[in-house]
Amino acid sequence: MRASTKRTADLFALNSLFNAVLILSVALVVAVLLLESLPMIYRDGIGPLVTSVWNPAREEYGFLFALGGTLVTASLALLLSLALSVGSAVMYAEFVPPSLRPVVRNLMDLAASMPSVIYGLWGLRVLSPFLRNHLMEPLSALGLSGILGTPSPAGTSLLSASILLAIMVTPFASAIIRERLLAVPQHVREALYSLGLTKPEVVLIELRYIRRSVLTAMAVSFSRAVGETAAVAMVVGNTVNPNFFRVFSPGYTISSLIADQYPNAEAYYYMAPALFYAALVMFAIGLAVNLALLRYGETR
Amino acid sequence: MDYAVYVKDLWVSIGGREILKGVNLEVPRNVVFAVMGPSGSGKSTLLRTLNRILDLYEGVSVRGRVVVEGIDVYDSRTDPPAVRRLVGMVFQMPNPIPNLSIYDNVALGPKINKLVRSRKELDELVRWALEKAYLWNEVEDRLDAPASKLSGGQQQRLCIARALAMKPRVLMMDEPTSNLDAVATAEIEKLIIELKRDVTVILVTHNSFQASRVADHVAFMYDGQILEVGPTGRVFTRPAHKLTERYITGKFG
Ligand SMILES: Nc1ncnc2c1ncn2[C@@H]1O[C@H](COP(=O)(O)OP(=O)(O)OP(=O)(O)O)[C@@H](O)[C@H]1O
Ligand SMILES: [Mg+2]
């Protein structure tokens, strides 16, 4: 009794230690971001958040276009991956015969572990031209370019980045949902079927039963989509696009802006602080959305 | 062949193991039909076969004929959900949907299957079912609480109410009073006898006294077969089979 109490206490202490280290390192990251961005915050306040000018020659850095690009691509990717991951998880749990499941699971794991540069190459050479030829050009021809923008010759665009992101985050989100769906107790499933419900009706109720895990999966998706850099930088077009909601046009996201611009930062006074400022904002968005989704999940 | 349930030479195997080995069964309409037998003899599996809940298991093979209320249950054209709407089931282990409220557990079936036309009708149906299951008084002030908050015996009665609310033609109850105290058990037995006016009840029970109190017919199952079946009085006073006699006198089981 004594010993086990002591052990619990030890474990508790260890756990607290880990948490403390975790919080400390996050605090450290935030501190560095904040410190490095201070010159820019001091000079322009929230100006960079609400203006879209990127003119290093005049030391003008308003990164609203990138902030908007991040929000637009991550949100679109979130919506798409919600459909893709729920759909694929349901297919897996309800329709793939158990004998085939290991194969499908390995394929999904492979997709999850592929380096993002490979997604980027595929996005650049296959996805973007395909979307340009079969989606963006036809819709533009119908007169939608006024609202949705004009595609670039290569098809690199905010839309391409969004779809690529959705494909990239889906294996992770799908795995979370799939495992929880498989863990719905058999007796609950039997109860549902015994009421004469059809398979789709049962699946809908099961999804409601695991909705917290769906939200967790979405939180994971959003963070990854916001932070993803290499692949996005390759397909988003890296163009200052103040009309970031025109998703057929090329644009920037915060992460691709940093990757693309930081190498030049040495040559200017305020570019590095501006990029750190942007990174700080990106970090805050990811954190806020995560907390909001998880908090929302707890109340349901 | 006007039976509520008619089973002819039914063989069921799960994962290559024979569980039911040539079951024959004729259950007339509007009776209480008790199925008794030692643990592992296949009673629950037999019930799962009648409403095709067995379809949810891996590696199941079913041979033979099952006819419920005129529907050929294993005919390829038969829609399993349609069978299940006709044949209600109260499972051996209480299995409420844990995240749904008490109200919604009962309302779910009638709502999705559109058995009611208005919210008021649904409210009335839920109340009726909960009253019949002798649970209403305990839950009327917390219908919105999650079902998982109920005690084991309350969950069992909730599952009875859930099955009743579907207004099935045949109601299968797998040891429906195993978690209940004497008072609640008596109420459920009263309900079972009363139900027979409208439905056919198939009752699995380990309790010989319960069977003799409520059942019109008794079947005795042993090792995947029905060893003996007949009117309750006859089976209890003059069992045809030695094993039946030993079982009902409590010598094994
Ligand atoms: N899903 C399953 N997979 C494999 N075997 C099973 C499965 N379900 C039941 N069985 C086997 O079938 C046999 C009959 O089980 P069943 O649950 O029908 O017995 P029962 O008569 O209801 O017993 P009890 O009185 O203990 O509830 C048992 O030997 C059991 O191991
Ligand atoms: Mg059983």
mmCIF file of all heavy atoms in Angstrom, chain B residues 39-45 48 92 174-175 204 206, ligand 2:
data_model
loop_
_atom_site.group_PDB
_atom_site.id
_atom_site.type_symbol
_atom_site.label_atom_id
_atom_site.label_comp_id
_atom_site.label_asym_id
_atom_site.label_seq_id
_atom_site.Cartn_x
_atom_site.Cartn_y
_atom_site.Cartn_z
ATOM 1 N N SER B 39 -25.903 -22.791 -19.709
ATOM 2 C CA SER B 39 -25.058 -21.752 -20.267
ATOM 3 C C SER B 39 -24.250 -22.318 -21.435
ATOM 4 O O SER B 39 -23.697 -23.408 -21.342
ATOM 5 C CB SER B 39 -24.119 -21.253 -19.162
ATOM 6 O OG SER B 39 -23.468 -20.107 -19.595
ATOM 7 N N GLY B 40 -24.225 -21.573 -22.537
ATOM 8 C CA GLY B 40 -23.462 -22.011 -23.691
ATOM 9 C C GLY B 40 -24.210 -22.950 -24.610
ATOM 10 O O GLY B 40 -23.663 -23.440 -25.597
ATOM 11 N N SER B 41 -25.500 -23.209 -24.316
ATOM 12 C CA SER B 41 -26.235 -24.162 -25.141
ATOM 13 C C SER B 41 -26.711 -23.537 -26.451
ATOM 14 O O SER B 41 -27.152 -24.249 -27.354
ATOM 15 C CB SER B 41 -27.422 -24.726 -24.356
ATOM 16 O OG SER B 41 -28.237 -23.683 -23.881
ATOM 17 N N GLY B 42 -26.625 -22.202 -26.581
ATOM 18 C CA GLY B 42 -26.960 -21.571 -27.852
ATOM 19 C C GLY B 42 -28.232 -20.742 -27.847
ATOM 20 O O GLY B 42 -28.719 -20.354 -28.906
ATOM 21 N N LYS B 43 -28.744 -20.439 -26.657
ATOM 22 C CA LYS B 43 -30.004 -19.683 -26.574
ATOM 23 C C LYS B 43 -29.872 -18.294 -27.194
ATOM 24 O O LYS B 43 -30.685 -17.895 -28.036
ATOM 25 C CB LYS B 43 -30.445 -19.564 -25.105
ATOM 26 C CG LYS B 43 -30.538 -20.900 -24.383
ATOM 27 C CD LYS B 43 -30.964 -20.735 -22.938
ATOM 28 C CE LYS B 43 -29.966 -19.979 -22.071
ATOM 29 N NZ LYS B 43 -28.676 -20.650 -21.890
ATOM 30 N N SER B 44 -28.835 -17.573 -26.785
ATOM 31 C CA SER B 44 -28.664 -16.213 -27.321
ATOM 32 C C SER B 44 -28.379 -16.245 -28.818
ATOM 33 O O SER B 44 -28.842 -15.380 -29.569
ATOM 34 C CB SER B 44 -27.531 -15.492 -26.594
ATOM 35 O OG SER B 44 -27.816 -15.376 -25.224
ATOM 36 N N THR B 45 -27.613 -17.224 -29.232
ATOM 37 C CA THR B 45 -27.309 -17.345 -30.661
ATOM 38 C C THR B 45 -28.583 -17.604 -31.458
ATOM 39 O O THR B 45 -28.774 -17.031 -32.533
ATOM 40 C CB THR B 45 -26.287 -18.475 -30.894
ATOM 41 O OG1 THR B 45 -25.148 -18.242 -30.083
ATOM 42 C CG2 THR B 45 -25.871 -18.542 -32.351
ATOM 43 N N ARG B 48 -30.317 -14.330 -31.824
ATOM 44 C CA ARG B 48 -29.615 -13.482 -32.796
ATOM 45 C C ARG B 48 -29.855 -13.945 -34.230
ATOM 46 O O ARG B 48 -29.743 -13.155 -35.162
ATOM 47 C CB ARG B 48 -28.107 -13.505 -32.524
ATOM 48 C CG ARG B 48 -27.703 -12.700 -31.326
ATOM 49 C CD ARG B 48 -26.239 -12.294 -31.430
ATOM 50 N NE ARG B 48 -25.902 -11.360 -30.369
ATOM 51 C CZ ARG B 48 -25.497 -11.728 -29.160
ATOM 52 N NH1 ARG B 48 -25.365 -13.005 -28.866
ATOM 53 N NH2 ARG B 48 -25.235 -10.825 -28.246
ATOM 54 N N GLN B 92 -29.146 -9.748 -23.614
ATOM 55 C CA GLN B 92 -28.773 -10.323 -22.324
ATOM 56 C C GLN B 92 -28.025 -9.305 -21.448
ATOM 57 O O GLN B 92 -28.305 -9.186 -20.266
ATOM 58 C CB GLN B 92 -27.893 -11.554 -22.567
ATOM 59 C CG GLN B 92 -27.612 -12.375 -21.330
ATOM 60 C CD GLN B 92 -27.034 -13.742 -21.689
ATOM 61 O OE1 GLN B 92 -26.763 -14.037 -22.854
ATOM 62 N NE2 GLN B 92 -26.850 -14.576 -20.703
ATOM 63 N N ASP B 174 -33.859 -11.690 -23.712
ATOM 64 C CA ASP B 174 -32.807 -12.598 -23.274
ATOM 65 C C ASP B 174 -32.502 -12.304 -21.801
ATOM 66 O O ASP B 174 -31.826 -11.335 -21.484
ATOM 67 C CB ASP B 174 -31.564 -12.391 -24.142
ATOM 68 C CG ASP B 174 -30.620 -13.586 -24.103
ATOM 69 O OD1 ASP B 174 -30.746 -14.396 -23.174
ATOM 70 O OD2 ASP B 174 -29.769 -13.686 -25.001
ATOM 71 N N GLU B 175 -33.029 -13.105 -20.929
ATOM 72 C CA GLU B 175 -32.880 -12.920 -19.481
ATOM 73 C C GLU B 175 -33.141 -11.479 -19.054
ATOM 74 O O GLU B 175 -32.258 -10.821 -18.498
ATOM 75 C CB GLU B 175 -31.476 -13.344 -19.056
ATOM 76 C CG GLU B 175 -31.246 -14.808 -19.322
ATOM 77 C CD GLU B 175 -30.030 -15.303 -18.567
ATOM 78 O OE1 GLU B 175 -29.972 -15.016 -17.367
ATOM 79 O OE2 GLU B 175 -29.188 -15.952 -19.183
ATOM 80 N N VAL B 204 -35.870 -15.930 -22.988
ATOM 81 C CA VAL B 204 -34.793 -16.810 -22.534
ATOM 82 C C VAL B 204 -34.623 -16.595 -21.047
ATOM 83 O O VAL B 204 -34.521 -15.452 -20.586
ATOM 84 C CB VAL B 204 -33.470 -16.491 -23.261
ATOM 85 C CG1 VAL B 204 -32.313 -17.223 -22.588
ATOM 86 C CG2 VAL B 204 -33.560 -16.892 -24.719
ATOM 87 N N HIS B 206 -33.011 -18.433 -17.217
ATOM 88 C CA HIS B 206 -32.357 -19.518 -16.489
ATOM 89 C C HIS B 206 -33.208 -19.967 -15.312
ATOM 90 O O HIS B 206 -32.888 -20.922 -14.632
ATOM 91 C CB HIS B 206 -31.008 -19.035 -15.939
ATOM 92 C CG HIS B 206 -29.900 -19.198 -16.920
ATOM 93 N ND1 HIS B 206 -29.012 -18.202 -17.216
ATOM 94 C CD2 HIS B 206 -29.537 -20.248 -17.693
ATOM 95 C CE1 HIS B 206 -28.152 -18.620 -18.122
ATOM 96 N NE2 HIS B 206 -28.455 -19.864 -18.427
HETATM 97 MG MG MG C 2 -27.042 -16.091 -23.607
#
